[in-house]
Amino acid sequence: MSNHLKLSFEIWPNMPWGRLEIAGPAWNSWGDKSLEWCIRQIASYGYEGFDVIYPKIQEILPHEYDDTVKKVRKAMDETGLAFSSIGCHTTFVTPRYFDRDAGIAKFKKAIDAASDMGAGTVVTLIGDGYYDPPLYNLMTRKEAWHQVVTATQEVADYGKTKGIDVSIELIQGTIINNIDDMLKLFELVDRPNVYACVDVGTFYTTVKPRMPIKEAIRKLGDRIRVTHVKDEVGFPNIMQSQHVWFGAGFVDFREMAEALKEVNFQGYNSVEWEGFQTGGLYGVGDPSGVSMTDFDRVAEESKEYLEEFGWGKQSK
C-alpha cells in the first residue's frame, strides 16, 4: 500500500475558457505570471509537481515559445518539480465535423507541448459533452461513442510517437460519466497509453450515487494516471459542478486518500482550484458568487488542509 500521495498544483491563466458562460472572464493572482515564475512559486510551498491548463501555453507568443520551453525546463531542474500534466479540454464529440477536427488538432498541439516541456500526460474531458450540452438531440449514442473511440485512438497513437500518455477525465455531462463507461472506453480504444483522470469532486457528486468511492477506485486501479483534487457541491442540474473551498463540499478527502493508497496510486494529485471562476447557481465557482482569487493562499492553505487528511509528504 502506498503511504504517500504526491501533491502537485495546477497553473491557470486568466480567462481560461474564453467567454464560456459558466466560467466567465475569470481572474486569478497568478494569471499574468510566467510559467517559470509559477513553477518556482509552487516549489516554495513544498509541492512535488505542477500541472498546466493548456490555454496558459497557448498564450505564449510563437517567437517566445522556444525560450519559454528552456526556462520551464531550467525551473524544473532547479526546483526538482515534475511536470505532471497538461489539461486540454477539447472537442471530440459533435455533429460539426470541423469543430471535431479542430479539437483533435488542438489536442495534438498540447501533446507537442507536453513532449517539449517534459509533461507526463495530457488530460481531456469528452467535449462537447453529450448530455450537457444535449447533443443527443442531434446525434445517436452510437454515433457519439464512435466519435469518442476514434478520436481517442487518434490522439493516443500520436501521443505514443511522442512518449506522451492520454488521460480521459470522467465528468458529469459527458458520455463518459460513470465507471462502467470509462472501462468500456479502455476496452474499445485498446491503447496502452490511455488512462483515466480521477476528478475528486466529480467522484462525490456523480460517481458516489452509483457506487461506493473505494469500489470505483478499485475498478479503475492502475488505469488512473492523474487526479484533480478539489471540493464540490452539486445543484440539481446535469453538471453539478460548483467548486467550493476545501471542506465546504461533499468530498470525503480521507476516504479518497485511503482509496488511492489501497490501489498503490503513484501518480500526482493536482490541486485544481477552479473556484476563482464565475460562481452563483449556474457558474462553476462558489455558489455565493464570492471566491478565492489569491493563488498564494490557495497554494498554501489547500496543501495544509489536504495533509490533515492523508495527502502529501507529511501525511500519516
Side-chain angles (χ1 to χ4, degrees):
M1 177 185 289
S2 170
N3 60 6
H4 173 202
L5 294 177
K6 296 180 289 189
L7 287 177
S8 61
F9 191 85
E10 198 165 67
I11 300 169
W12 288 78
N14 290 325
M15 202 172 176
W17 311 125
R19 296 175 61 188
L20 183 66
E21 287 82 354
I22 62 170
W27 175 89
N28 73 80
S29 64
W30 292 8
D32 61 352
K33 302 294 194 297
S34 69
L35 278 174
E36 177 191 12
W37 184 95
C38 292
I39 293 165
R40 296 184 188 279
Q41 196 75 349
I42 290 166
S44 74
Y45 288 109
Y47 286 85
E48 296 175 77
F50 66 95
D51 308 78
V52 180
I53 295 297
Y54 185 54
K56 183 74 174 179
I57 295 172
Q58 289 179 296
E59 290 179 348
I60 301 168
L61 296 172
H63 68 277
E64 295 177 353
Y65 181 79
D66 290 343
D67 185 55
T68 299
V69 169
K70 292 176 183 177
K71 289 179 178 178
V72 166
R73 289 279 194 170
K74 182 179 180 183
M76 291 168 63
D77 289 342
E78 292 179 355
T79 62
L81 262 61
F83 194 162
S84 170
S85 71
I86 292 175
C88 180
H89 292 339
T90 191
T91 299
F92 281 0
V93 176
T94 175
R96 294 157 58 102
Y97 78 89
F98 48 91
D99 282 342
R100 185 170 183 267
D101 288 350
I104 292 171
K106 175 184 173 182
F107 196 88
K108 289 179 179 178
K109 292 290 287 183
I111 288 173
D112 290 339
S115 177
D116 293 340
M117 296 183 183
T121 186
V122 181
V123 181
T124 187
L125 53 79
I126 299 299
D128 275 342
Y130 182 67
Y131 299 111
D132 183 16
L135 297 181
Y136 54 80
N137 286 308
L138 301 174
M139 60 197 305
T140 67
R141 183 175 175 83
K142 183 178 180 180
E143 290 171 330
W145 264 102
H146 177 74
Q147 288 194 357
V148 172
V149 170
T150 55
T152 305
Q153 287 173 330
E154 183 174 344
V155 299
D157 289 344
Y158 185 78
K160 186 177 179 180
T161 68
K162 302 278 186 172
I164 301 298
D165 296 334
V166 172
S167 296
I168 303 299
E169 184 171 358
L170 184 159
I171 197 164
Q172 53 271 46
T174 76
I175 201 166
I176 309 299
N177 64 356
N178 62 75
I179 299 299
D180 288 343
D181 281 341
M182 180 63 80
L183 296 175
K184 175 182 174 180
L185 180 69
F186 291 150
E187 181 179 356
L188 294 177
V189 169
D190 192 27
R191 297 293 189 273
N193 63 328
V194 174
Y195 292 87
C197 170
V198 169
D199 185 289
V200 171
T202 293
F203 265 55
Y204 279 86
T205 59
T206 304
V207 173
K208 187 176 180 180
R210 296 172 181 261
M211 69 173 60
I213 291 297
K214 289 188 175 181
E215 179 183 350
I217 295 298
R218 282 195 297 269
K219 280 178 174 286
L220 293 178
D222 61 4
R223 299 308 294 267
I224 303 171
R225 183 66 167 82
V226 64
T227 79
H228 291 165
V229 189
K230 63 173 71 120
D231 211 348
E232 279 188 12
V233 296
F235 286 118
N237 56 44
I238 291 175
M239 284 306 292
Q240 299 186 32
S241 187
Q242 287 73 32
H243 306 110
V244 294
W245 195 229
F246 288 92
F250 296 155
V251 174
D252 183 336
F253 290 98
R254 191 178 304 280
E255 177 186 47
M256 180 58 81
E258 291 171 353
L260 291 168
K261 289 176 182 178
E262 285 175 6
V263 299
N264 197 35
F265 177 61
Q266 296 296 309
Y268 285 85
N269 303 275
S270 174
V271 172
E272 185 178 55
W273 177 238
E274 295 183 75
F276 73 96
Q277 300 178 65
T278 297
L281 185 59
Y282 297 106
V284 297
D286 194 295
S288 70
V290 179
S291 193
M292 186 79 74
T293 59
D294 182 347
F295 264 45
D296 285 287
R297 276 198 62 189
V298 173
E300 182 174 17
E301 293 186 28
S302 55
K303 181 172 177 288
E304 290 174 352
Y305 180 88
L306 289 167
E307 286 173 347
E308 293 181 21
F309 295 94
W311 306 74
K313 287 195 236 183
Q314 299 177 33
S315 62
K316 300 295 183 181

